[in-house]
Amino acid sequence: MPEMNGPEAAKRIRALGSDVFIVGITGNLLPEDVRYFRLCGANAVLPKPLKIDDLEVLLVEHAVASQRLLGHAQMSSSLSEPF
């Protein structure tokens, strides 16, 4: 058994102030387990056994969403700059 479980690791990462994308992986995908992972700081939760295709879809979705946010932030900041 590891010294720390996934939710505890997520809590500690968030306590450090990190906004890194955290994916919890669990054998218990009950709604209360997913909710607990999310409350502890995980951005998403996937079931065990992990299917690489599921992880790939999740990471691509995150990357696309991040690019949209980045593009929106860059566009907003450029609109506030004088000509």
Side-chain angles (χ1 to χ4, degrees):
M1 199 73 193
E3 294 180 26
M4 186 183 320
N5 63 25
E8 182 61 31
K11 282 185 199 177
R12 291 189 185 191
I13 291 167
R14 295 299 181 223
L16 295 172
S18 178
D19 65 351
V20 67
F21 189 72
I22 299 173
V23 179
I25 302 172
T26 181
N28 301 317
L29 205 57
L30 298 172
E32 57 269 19
D33 296 318
V34 172
R35 193 168 27 258
Y36 182 62
F37 261 94
R38 300 296 298 257
L39 286 171
C40 290
N43 298 90
V45 182
L46 292 175
K48 287 182 185 177
L50 179 64
K51 295 178 184 169
I52 296 301
D53 291 344
D54 292 343
L55 180 60
E56 182 180 14
V57 167
L58 181 65
L59 294 176
V60 167
E61 288 173 352
H62 172 67
V64 168
S66 295
Q67 285 298 319
R68 283 190 192 131
L69 288 174
L70 180 61
H72 180 70
Q74 288 175 344
M75 192 178 349
S76 295
S77 67
S78 67
L79 292 175
S80 64
E81 294 175 5
F83 293 100

